[in-house]
Amino acid sequence: MTTDHTHNSPAGTSLSPGARARPRTAGTPTPRITTAQRRALLAGAKDPLGLLPKSVNLRTLVSLADAGYVGLDQSRDILRGQEATRDQLDVWGGTLTEAGWQRARAEGAGRFRIVVVGCGKAKQDRRVTAGAMYVGTFHGSCRETAKALLQDGGRQYILSAAHGLLDLTTEIDPYDITVGDPGSVSADFVQAQVWERGIESAEVTVLAGSKYVALARQSWPGLEAPLAGAGGIGEMKQRLSQIRLAARAEAGQEQ
């Protein structure tokens, strides 16, 4: 019988490809993992790129790489195609492979969740962060609902007709343009931003009107649009209120 000594690989020895799961033969049982390994996988699943936090120790990283669950971050040019050696993991940390994502989901993690909120017409009159730019009541209701939906983790973006996807902390100047106007961003532009961020596989909810939903759908064909078909702003606000109540009730039950 051949003994597998890969857990004790010396520094510099290849453990697994940068972002590829180690192949398994049909019928191979799912390997057991420790509490620390499970915690690391679930923590990685909370990041859109599957990056494990720096608090995960090297021993756990190496063991997860050996199992095919962790590799190097292939979104970084310097690491693309490189092997996840002990030395590389020590320097760069690890990211979930496809097998790692699958195992994390089997252990209870969902896909990384994103809520996209449409921008608004009412704005500040000066340069501020995207999170502070839009002052309309409908936008505020969407933002509050996004926060309720993300109580268990995830990320919120604003979909701007002028800038595409915006982090809440990005500073922008006021503008007067809406989706579909000359000079507004295209679906291809937004899709390029999505790929650049590595969030194309996320679970996405869009809280916005139909034009913004259509703009986002090319990037996320399976997105959820709970405001679709609403008869106007009044009905949209009612739906948003119901979504918040349901999300908060669910969180309360889990606690």
Side-chain angles (χ1 to χ4, degrees):
M1 181 177 69
T2 302
T3 303
D4 184 359
H5 294 290
T6 50
H7 278 287
N8 300 315
S9 300
T13 301
S14 173
L15 296 172
S16 69
R20 297 179 183 176
R22 177 166 295 179
R24 301 186 184 280
T25 58
T28 301
T30 301
R32 294 182 179 181
I33 58 175
T34 66
T35 300
Q37 290 171 331
R38 180 177 184 273
R39 188 162 50 241
L41 289 174
L42 294 178
K46 292 182 178 180
D47 183 89
L49 297 178
L51 297 174
L52 276 67
K54 294 181 179 179
S55 58
V56 177
N57 64 44
L58 181 59
R59 179 180 178 181
T60 300
L61 281 177
V62 170
S63 63
L64 289 172
D66 181 52
Y69 294 145
V70 165
L72 299 177
D73 179 8
Q74 298 298 287
S75 69
R76 305 185 67 159
D77 291 339
I78 194 172
L79 299 179
R80 193 165 296 141
Q82 294 198 34
E83 300 289 325
T85 65
R86 182 186 297 266
D87 286 345
Q88 292 279 45
L89 290 167
D90 191 24
V91 173
W92 299 101
T95 186
L96 296 181
T97 62
E98 183 58 35
W101 278 108
Q102 292 175 4
R103 184 59 188 263
R105 290 166 190 154
E107 295 295 330
R111 288 188 296 167
F112 182 76
R113 190 166 196 186
I114 289 173
V115 178
V116 178
V117 174
C119 65
K121 184 175 182 179
K123 301 178 182 69
Q124 300 274 14
D125 60 358
R126 64 189 186 281
R127 182 178 181 85
V128 293
T129 64
M133 174 59 73
Y134 310 97
V135 296
T137 57
F138 176 66
H139 178 85
S141 183
C142 289
R143 290 279 303 282
E144 186 179 353
T145 305
K147 184 178 179 180
L149 289 173
L150 296 173
Q151 290 178 93
D152 292 330
R155 189 166 299 176
Q156 182 181 157
Y157 290 99
I158 293 173
L159 183 53
S160 161
H163 303 285
L165 280 181
L166 286 171
D167 294 293
L168 302 186
T169 56
T170 301
E171 289 192 353
I172 58 173
D173 292 308
Y175 57 90
D176 186 17
I177 193 173
T178 190
V179 172
D181 287 350
S184 63
V185 297
S186 66
D188 287 341
F189 181 87
V190 174
Q191 188 171 41
Q193 292 179 311
V194 168
W195 279 92
E196 182 180 0
R197 287 170 167 81
I199 53 177
E200 64 275 4
S201 297
E203 177 184 342
V204 178
T205 299
V206 178
L207 302 177
S210 58
K211 290 184 178 180
Y212 288 84
V213 172
L215 183 63
R217 196 176 292 281
Q218 178 171 310
S219 300
W220 299 294
L223 63 78
E224 295 182 3
L227 304 184
I233 293 295
E235 185 178 347
M236 287 184 179
K237 286 184 176 180
Q238 288 181 350
R239 291 190 187 182
L240 291 169
S241 178
Q242 293 169 354
I243 293 169
R244 288 195 299 273
L245 288 173
R248 290 165 181 166
E250 182 178 352
Q253 290 171 1
E254 291 176 353
Q255 293 172 358

